[in-house]
Amino acid sequence: MTDDFPEPVPGRRYVIDGNNVMGSRPDRWWNDRAGAAARLAQQVAEWSRTHTCPVVLVFDGAPVPEVALLAGGNLAIEFAPRRGRNAADDHIVDLVAANPDPASAVVVTADLGLLARLPTDARACGPRRFLAGIGAPMR
C-alpha cells in the first residue's frame, strides 16, 4: 500500500472512507455532519465527472437523502448497512474483497485498523493527499 495520489486510469476503482476524510479537515465538521458529508460528496462528485473510474463514497450512520442525491454516473454513495463500531470499515473491506482484483482498488483512509484489514495488494491514499489530488480545499 502507498500513500500517493493514484491518478484515475482504466481499471482503477476508488473506495473512500467518507467519515475519515471529513475528519481530516479541521473545518468544524462535527457541528454539522450532514452538511460536511454533503460538501465532501459534492467535491467527490465534481472530481468523478473528470474520469470514468468507479468511485464509492462510504459513510457511517443513517442515510442522508441530500448526500445520497449527489450520486450518479461513476459515483456511488453508500451508507454502512448496519450501525455500530467499524460498520463503514466492514463495508469497505467487503467492497474491496468482492472484486476479483483487489490490486485495482484505491482505498482512501488514514484509519490504520481499516488498512490492516485490506488485502495486501490494495492501494491506500491518505485523506489529505486525496483531497489535494482532487483539488478540494483542505479547510
Side-chain angles (χ1 to χ4, degrees):
M1 288 191 241
T2 64
D3 193 43
D4 62 337
F5 176 71
E7 296 290 336
V9 295
R12 183 163 285 160
R13 60 198 172 91
Y14 296 83
V15 182
I16 303 167
D17 183 348
N19 289 79
N20 190 267
V21 175
M22 281 186 339
S24 72
R25 295 191 273 194
D27 63 357
R28 303 185 66 82
W29 59 267
W30 52 90
N31 290 328
D32 179 12
R33 289 176 190 261
R39 286 190 301 277
L40 175 61
Q42 182 62 48
Q43 292 164 340
V44 172
E46 290 170 8
W47 170 70
S48 294
R49 287 193 289 270
T50 68
H51 62 84
T52 59
C53 296
V55 178
V56 181
L57 178 57
V58 180
F59 289 103
D60 279 312
V64 179
E66 59 269 19
V67 174
L69 287 173
L70 294 166
N74 58 331
L75 172 62
I77 297 176
E78 299 182 8
F79 295 84
R82 68 170 181 80
R83 303 275 193 282
R85 184 173 170 81
N86 294 324
D89 292 1
D90 291 346
H91 189 57
I92 290 167
V93 169
D94 291 346
L95 288 170
V96 174
N99 190 291
D101 182 16
S104 69
V106 175
V107 178
V108 179
T109 190
D111 182 331
L112 297 178
L114 170 57
L115 292 171
R117 296 173 54 200
L118 295 172
T120 56
D121 50 352
R123 296 185 73 172
C125 180
R128 296 181 68 77
R129 197 163 303 235
F130 174 75
L131 291 168
I134 70 170
M138 298 301 292
R139 56 181 178 357

